[in-house]
Amino acid sequence: MNQHRRDLLDRDLECVAADLLKHDPRLSALDVRVRFDGGVAHVEGSAPDAADLAMLRESLGRLGGVLAVWDRVHVDGSAPRVVDLGCGGTKQHADNLGLDVRPGPTVDVVADLVDGVPFQDESVDQVFAVHVIEHLADYLPLLAECHRILRPGGVLHVLTPWWRHVNAVADPTHVRLLDVQTFKYLCRPDHAGRCWYPLVVTRDEATVFADLLPVKAGVRPADEQRLARFFD
């Protein structure tokens, strides 16, 4: 898709989101702004409680053409605590906690993801794993760590090359090929009882996007109807 059309689609999604916020009474308590970039909803503002934010995420994720919902919404006056795993030289937001194996200007915590994630249980509101898991021969332990550190209602945001795009094989440090269907496995309970609830799992011509809730207190596993929205 050329950039001009992508920009037009983003502007159209912004109009649809504005109408949703104006006319859906379930979202009336929110004071938020929604901007789209490449089909990803970037949301800023405030919400009175976590249930209102959850409703917003679900409502935006239902819109056709939305690839992911990334929010920096203050809930009851508190800013979210967000971690960028394997951030390298780029964090998704300047206020995120950047974690990488090598020190650098954007790195707040130096750690090797193979050894785990050095944060306490249920201490984080969001985790970004942007072009990370394709570099790991076994990424399931890392996802288990993300499940552990996320609070109930927290979100894991994953971006990874789609296996059929040249980007998936052009980098020799990529050791895993992934598809939307890969995440169906992650949304069913494993032997330790962990699983993820899919908020949005989709792709464009180059990238797989997954927004996932850890199934723990207050979150039920996805039923077959929910799974059918994203997976074969």
Side-chain angles (χ1 to χ4, degrees):
M1 183 185 301
N2 66 55
Q3 188 59 47
H4 178 63
R5 182 162 184 252
R6 180 73 271 173
D7 290 343
L8 291 174
L9 291 175
D10 284 337
R11 302 296 81 74
D12 184 63
L13 282 169
E14 288 172 0
C15 292
V16 174
D19 283 345
L20 180 70
L21 289 168
K22 181 177 180 181
H23 297 294
D24 190 332
R26 298 172 301 173
L27 305 176
S28 61
L30 295 160
D31 179 18
V32 296
R33 299 158 297 286
V34 184
R35 174 182 61 85
F36 280 89
D37 182 8
V40 176
H42 296 265
V43 187
E44 295 186 350
S46 61
D49 58 48
D52 291 304
L53 178 56
M55 178 59 68
L56 175 65
R57 289 169 173 162
E58 176 69 15
S59 299
L60 290 174
R62 285 176 174 267
L63 299 180
V66 173
L67 297 174
V69 179
W70 295 0
D71 60 80
R72 294 194 62 80
V73 174
H74 289 58
V75 176
D76 192 24
S78 298
R81 190 182 193 212
V82 185
V83 173
D84 248 308
L85 298 180
C87 64
T90 304
K91 292 194 285 191
Q92 302 309 307
H93 192 277
D95 290 342
N96 291 359
L97 289 166
L99 186 151
D100 202 272
V101 70
R102 297 181 182 87
T106 64
V107 177
D108 303 292
V109 179
V110 176
D112 190 336
L113 295 176
V114 174
D115 299 325
V117 181
F119 294 100
Q120 294 181 348
D121 294 357
E122 298 188 354
S123 61
V124 171
D125 296 295
Q126 296 176 45
V127 175
F128 281 91
V130 176
H131 295 296
V132 171
I133 65 173
E134 65 270 19
H135 295 275
L136 302 175
D138 183 5
Y139 55 79
L140 295 180
L142 176 61
L143 296 187
E145 281 288 272
C146 293
H147 196 285
R148 176 184 66 79
I149 68 172
L150 279 165
R151 295 176 176 132
V155 184
L156 170 64
H157 302 287
V158 179
L159 269 74
T160 185
W162 182 42
W163 72 277
R164 295 190 64 180
H165 193 270
V166 67
N167 288 347
V169 294
D171 185 339
T173 68
H174 291 176
V175 296
R176 297 299 296 252
L177 298 176
L178 294 106
D179 184 72
V180 168
Q181 300 305 317
T182 306
F183 290 89
K184 183 177 183 179
Y185 171 85
L186 301 173
C187 293
R188 295 187 184 278
D190 66 10
H191 66 279
R194 288 181 299 262
C195 70
W196 298 89
Y197 182 91
L199 287 175
V200 185
V201 185
T202 186
R203 67 168 179 85
D204 61 14
E205 61 272 16
T207 304
V208 177
F209 298 80
D211 291 344
L212 306 168
L213 284 172
V215 173
K216 50 179 65 178
V219 180
R220 300 179 64 183
D223 59 19
E224 293 301 318
Q225 179 176 318
R226 182 72 183 200
L227 294 175
R229 182 185 300 182
F230 307 111
F231 309 118
D232 294 339

